[in-house]
Every structure is written in C-alpha cells, then in structure tokens.
Amino acid sequence: MAYQGGEAANYYSPPHGGGGGPQYPPPNNSYEMQQPQNGYYNRPPPPPPPPAGGGGYSNVPMNDGGYHNGYGAPPPPPPPTGPDGKMGPPPSYDEVFAVQKPKWNDLWAGVLFLATCAGFVAVSAISIQGYAATRNINSGGLNGQRNRFGLTTHTIWLFGWVLITAIVLSYGYMWVARKFTKQFIWITGILNVVLGFATALYMLSRKYYSGGIVFLIFAIFQLICFISWRSRIPFSVLMLQTAIDVAKNFGHVYLVSAIGGLLATLFAAWFSVTLVSVYVKYQPDPNNPACRQGAGGCSSGKVIGLIAFITFAAYWISEWLKNTIHTTIAGVYGSWYFNSRNFPTGVTRGALKRCLTYSFGSISLGSLVVAIINFLRQLASVARAQASSDGDILGMILWCIVGCLIGLLDWAVQFLNRYAFAHIALYGKAYVPAAKDTWKMIKDRGIDALVNECLIGPVLGMGAMFVGYATALMAYCYMVFTNPSYNSGGGFTPVVVAFAFLIGLQICNVFTTPLSSGIDTIFVASAWDPEVMIRDHPDLYHRMVAVYPEVQQAIHA
C-alpha cells in the first residue's frame, strides 16, 4: 500500500504557481513486483540462525547491499503470489514473523513481576480492610472527618477528580493529534510551557516554594527545548501523519490505546485507594483505631516501607502495561512495513499473544529497569522536598542535580527500550540480546540521525507532562481550598501533589504509546531492510527526502 497523504501532505506541498522552495520530482510509482525466488526477491535464502549464546551476529552480507550484520532474524519475505501474478490469501501474523524454536524468554523476570503483583494485592487487601473497618472516622464532610493524623476519604475523592481530569485530557490529546496533526506539535509545546509556568507561579504565590521552584525549572527547560526544536517540526509532522494514517487503516491501534488507557485508569484508581488505606491503617497515632484492626500494628517504618513498595510496584505495573501496548502495536506497524500489499490476518491478536507468552518475561525485564530508575527519581524528589521544607538550600540543590542525572539515565534506557521492544515484537528474542542487536543496528545503519531528527517522542512526553501539570495543579488547589483537617500544617501537600502528577503522567503515557510505537517501528524496520521502504512505500520515502534530505544517507547507510 502506498503512503496515503493526510494533512502533512498539504503542509509540505508548495503552493500552486511555483515558488516557495525547491521542487522535488514526483515519486516513482512504477515499481514492479518481482516474482519471488525461494521466498525473496532475487536473494539467496536467508542465512541460518546464529548459534545460541553467540550474541546473534552472523556477519553474513546480502547480495543486494542490504546487509543484516546478524541483527537477529532476517526480515520476512514479501507476500507470495499465485501463478497468475495475483496475491495469495493473506498469511497470519505467526506465519509472517515465525519464531524458530520459540521459548519463554527471561522467565525469571516474569515470575518476579507476578510475585510483585501478588505482593501489591496483599498489601492493598490488608490496608483497605483496615480502612473499611474504621471509615466512620475517615468519612463525613470535607472538613468533618475526625481523622486528623493521616489521609482520609477526602483524599480518595481528590484522586477521583485527578483520574477524571487525566483520562479526559489524555483522550482529548489523542483527538487533537488525529484531527490537527499539522498544528499538534505547536499546540503541545505552547500549552505545556504555559501551564508549566502557570503552575509554578501559582505555587510560588502561595509560598509553596519547593513545588514552585521544581515546576519553574521544568517549564524553563521545556521552553528552551521547544525553541531549539522548531527546525525539526516538518519531519516530525510527516512521521506523525504516517503513523496516524496506518493506524486508521490497519490493525486495531486506537482500540488498543482505548483499552490500555482504561486499564491504566482503573489501576491508578486502585493505587490511589491503596495509598490512602496504607496511611489510614499504619499511621502511628494514639487516636488511630485502625492500628488495632487486622494484621500488624502501626509505625512510621511500616508506612514508609509500604508506601515505597506500592510506589515501586505501581511504576513496574504501569511500565509493563505501557510496554505491552508498545510491543503489540509494533507488531501492527511491522506487518504494515513488510507486508503492506498483503496485510496479514490476526495481527493485533497475534502480537498480543506473543507479548503475554514468549515475550512476557522480556517485557517484564525491560519494564523493571525503567521502574527502578523512576523509583530512584521519586526518592530524589521526596528528598528534595524534605530539604526544602527544612530550609536546607544546599541539600535541595544537590538533590535537584541528582534528580536531573537520574532523568538523563531514564531517557537513555527508555530510548533503547522502545526499539528493543520493536525487535522483540517481530522476532521474539530475549531482552538483552534484542537490546544489543538493536543498538548496534541503529548505529551501523545511521538510523540514529532519523531518531534524533524526529520530535514525536519528546512531544508526546511534553503532552504527558502537560496532563501531569494539570492534575498536580488541580490536586494542589483542591488541598488549599478544601483545607482538610489532617493537612492543617500542609505536611501532606507535597505527597498528594507528587502522586497526582505521577498518575496524570502515567495515564497519558499509556494513551499516547501507540503513536510513538508506530514511528519507532518504522525507523527500526527501515534499518532492518531499507529496500522495503523504497520498493513498497515510495510516496513516504520521497516525502521524507523532501523535508529531510539527509534521510537518503540514513536509509542507504
């Protein structure tokens, strides 16, 4: 299937009458489909798979110049044709991306993930039981609760509004991406910067200096980034339009996004109730009857330990959900790239089945790495807030620097994970070999230049930050204007605002994952076999050259 022009096509087309920049030749759509020989176009049969444990590098060149350098399995063959030259029946996803000798990769990580989920369920059940047994002192009007020592039903209502805000804004953000593709990046950047400054200035005006300073630093950094990104917007718009056009016509991309967003929201609601229940159940105070209910007693150590555990578990579970969606969608876009003329059947179902079986452990392992980094960043954020409340300016600066360094590490790991999971989706390799193969391939083929030129990942990240800003600001205003009795001294404001920001950020990340997944997969697939881009998607290739001529060096590297 040739690339279908959308709004991006109008965005780059010169006005009638000439002028306005160089004219590029029209795409050559006369590519003739050759008869396959041994399943490939004038190619010898693919080399045998490398021996197990050998890192996957066979270093076998291909006669047509499109070498693999052992980047895992070779791309799938073009769709078969019958004797009359017509397409045969479409193959299934498992037939196109068959895994030789399939096995459950990284099984230990999958088992550890399930054990963590079981631990979260146990902590949640015990804590909610303690909350339910004493809800008479935690309920009532906004200021009528007798609980003055910890979070109450008031906080659950607050998080309920946070969830509604997050899901409405995330859905609206996806709608804007589909309807206003050309303006989408500008809208994202402007809204994100404006709301970031508004949140920071409002917090500073209320003398909430720790939160205000952090949001002000984020807003300034994002303003600088957005100004420096302007020259890269045309190429990014083209890639976004391509991802949206494919999503409209192939697979069930938007259905996966909607279901994933709903699951993320339900889990965030569960986490919110569990968070409040842990405080109610284990907060040490002579007036807390929950200490005498159910298992265990009350202590500050239990509160800190359990909050740390459920926060880490929430990071891991939400990252696993996001990466499962990403890997599933990568299967859809990989099928479109390699088999657009005879799109396979059951692609979404087949990709999801692989995610939940053979690749379950690999996705769990990649998600674990990100969860640990995010957890460390959360600890640095809490330490920075504590230093600020203690008046320790030096400590606040040091923890801010630590948080920035952890953020850079998180960016690097997330960058590699996106492309490694695309490899896992199509070829079912274990996490570490897939990451190594993908990184070597990206560097050897020069695709990192395309990745750096495309802004969709950072823009969607800014969109998630926008939703996080909105939920954090709403939580802060809710706490200020309702003034619950347990927060008379403002001690719980940083905790509630931080978790509100986290919930909004993660929900939007899940909603927008399919868009970034499609673009990531196109980049990686073009590195696996650039000839397919030129042969099967000539319109897309020529438009890419028109807005970013250096793509010719990257594609033909």
Side-chain angles (χ1 to χ4, degrees):
M1 173 183 172
Y3 170 73
Q4 299 182 7
E7 293 185 28
N10 299 328
Y11 186 84
Y12 300 115
S13 298
H16 295 289
Q23 300 294 317
Y24 295 93
N28 181 8
N29 290 319
S30 60
Y31 294 94
E32 296 295 333
M33 193 169 184
Q34 307 168 14
Q35 291 300 318
Q37 299 175 6
N38 294 325
Y40 284 78
Y41 288 94
N42 295 328
R43 300 183 184 180
Y57 296 101
S58 59
N59 294 317
V60 179
M62 295 182 65
N63 293 339
D64 60 0
Y67 62 93
H68 294 299
N69 265 353
Y71 305 129
T81 57
D84 56 356
K86 296 182 179 180
M87 292 291 177
S92 68
Y93 179 83
D94 291 331
E95 291 173 338
V96 172
F97 299 104
V99 178
Q100 296 181 354
K101 299 180 179 179
K103 65 176 182 178
W104 294 67
N105 295 311
D106 303 309
L107 184 59
W108 67 269
V111 173
L112 183 59
F113 174 74
L114 293 177
T116 303
C117 293
F120 180 87
V121 171
V123 171
S124 178
I126 295 173
S127 301
I128 292 176
Q129 184 275 333
Y131 166 79
T134 58
R135 65 178 179 272
N136 60 318
I137 70 167
N138 295 295
S139 301
L142 290 178
N143 297 293
Q145 296 106 348
R146 288 180 288 163
N147 179 346
R148 298 178 181 272
F149 50 82
L151 302 181
T152 64
T153 304
H154 167 276
T155 320
I156 295 179
W157 284 108
L158 184 157
F159 281 130
W161 286 110
V162 166
L163 293 172
I164 293 174
T165 302
I167 196 169
V168 169
L169 290 178
S170 299
Y171 182 83
Y173 189 63
M174 285 289 291
W175 180 84
V176 170
R178 295 178 62 181
K179 297 297 182 181
F180 304 98
T181 308
K182 184 171 67 174
Q183 301 87 357
F184 175 72
I185 296 178
W186 288 99
I187 293 172
T188 299
I190 292 172
L191 285 180
N192 196 63
V193 171
V194 169
L195 188 58
F197 276 110
T199 303
L201 294 177
Y202 180 73
M203 289 183 174
L204 291 174
S205 69
R206 301 289 304 188
K207 298 182 179 181
Y208 178 41
Y209 296 113
S210 60
I213 292 173
V214 170
F215 278 93
L216 183 62
I217 293 173
F218 283 165
I220 293 174
F221 176 75
Q222 289 173 340
L223 176 61
I224 295 173
C225 289
F226 187 69
I227 292 174
S228 66
W229 288 344
R230 288 180 299 172
S231 63
R232 296 154 64 185
I233 289 178
F235 179 73
S236 304
V237 171
L238 174 60
M239 296 310 301
L240 178 61
Q241 184 62 58
T242 301
I244 290 176
D245 286 346
V246 174
K248 289 178 180 178
N249 296 284
F250 297 93
H252 303 84
V253 175
Y254 292 124
L255 178 62
V256 173
S257 174
I259 294 175
L262 177 61
L263 292 176
T265 304
L266 292 175
F267 177 72
W270 185 11
F271 171 76
S272 301
V273 174
T274 302
L275 175 68
V276 173
S277 299
V278 167
Y279 273 102
V280 170
K281 170 64 179 172
Y282 295 105
Q283 186 74 14
D285 189 276
N287 298 319
N288 185 5
C291 295
R292 299 180 292 276
Q293 299 288 334
C298 295
S299 70
S300 298
K302 286 184 178 180
V303 173
I304 295 172
L306 291 175
I307 292 297
F309 171 74
I310 64 172
T311 302
F312 170 75
Y315 270 122
W316 196 359
I317 293 171
S318 60
E319 283 296 324
W320 175 85
L321 176 61
K322 183 178 70 175
N323 290 328
T324 299
I325 294 172
H326 167 61
T327 309
T328 301
I329 298 302
V332 175
Y333 281 87
S335 299
W336 166 80
Y337 182 86
F338 290 114
N339 293 77
S340 60
R341 303 184 185 187
N342 198 20
F343 193 75
T345 60
V347 168
T348 307
R349 182 174 61 254
L352 179 61
K353 177 183 176 182
R354 184 171 297 180
C355 291
L356 299 178
T357 53
Y358 301 123
S359 299
F360 176 76
S362 300
I363 296 175
S364 300
L365 178 55
S367 304
L368 172 62
V369 176
V370 177
I372 292 174
I373 295 173
N374 282 333
F375 179 66
L376 293 176
R377 186 166 59 178
Q378 183 80 356
L379 292 180
S381 176
V382 172
R384 182 185 62 238
Q386 185 62 43
S388 175
S389 63
D390 294 341
D392 184 0
I393 302 299
L394 179 59
M396 187 179 71
I397 294 175
L398 290 176
W399 282 113
C400 186
I401 294 174
V402 170
C404 290
L405 294 176
I406 296 175
L408 291 175
L409 178 62
D410 177 57
W411 173 85
V413 173
Q414 294 269 26
F415 173 86
L416 182 60
N417 269 2
R418 297 202 314 265
Y419 304 104
F421 284 134
H423 192 293
I424 290 172
L426 302 183
Y427 300 124
K429 296 193 73 171
Y431 173 71
V432 174
K436 289 181 178 179
D437 289 356
T438 303
W439 177 250
K440 178 173 171 56
M441 176 193 64
I442 288 175
K443 299 301 291 185
D444 288 350
R445 299 293 289 179
I447 298 299
D448 56 328
L450 296 183
V451 173
N452 293 332
E453 186 68 18
C454 186
L455 295 175
I456 298 305
V459 166
L460 295 179
M462 292 178 73
M465 290 285 286
F466 165 76
V467 176
Y469 285 149
T471 53
L473 180 60
M474 195 216 69
Y476 179 75
C477 293
Y478 196 96
M479 293 288 282
V480 168
F481 291 109
T482 59
N483 191 26
S485 55
Y486 67 82
N487 196 46
S488 57
F492 282 98
T493 299
V495 175
V496 172
V497 170
F499 280 105
F501 178 82
L502 169 64
I503 290 171
L505 181 76
Q506 291 294 80
I507 288 178
C508 188
N509 275 332
V510 171
F511 264 99
T512 59
T513 289
L515 293 181
S516 59
S517 300
I519 297 171
D520 295 340
T521 306
I522 292 173
F523 285 155
V524 176
S526 63
W528 280 327
D529 196 340
E531 180 187 333
V532 174
M533 171 73 76
I534 301 170
R535 184 191 68 226
D536 291 352
H537 309 284
D539 289 354
L540 172 60
Y541 175 71
H542 284 280
R543 286 189 171 94
M544 291 172 68
V545 172
V547 298
Y548 182 57
E550 291 83 354
V551 74
Q552 297 174 90
Q553 285 75 35
I555 292 294
H556 295 292

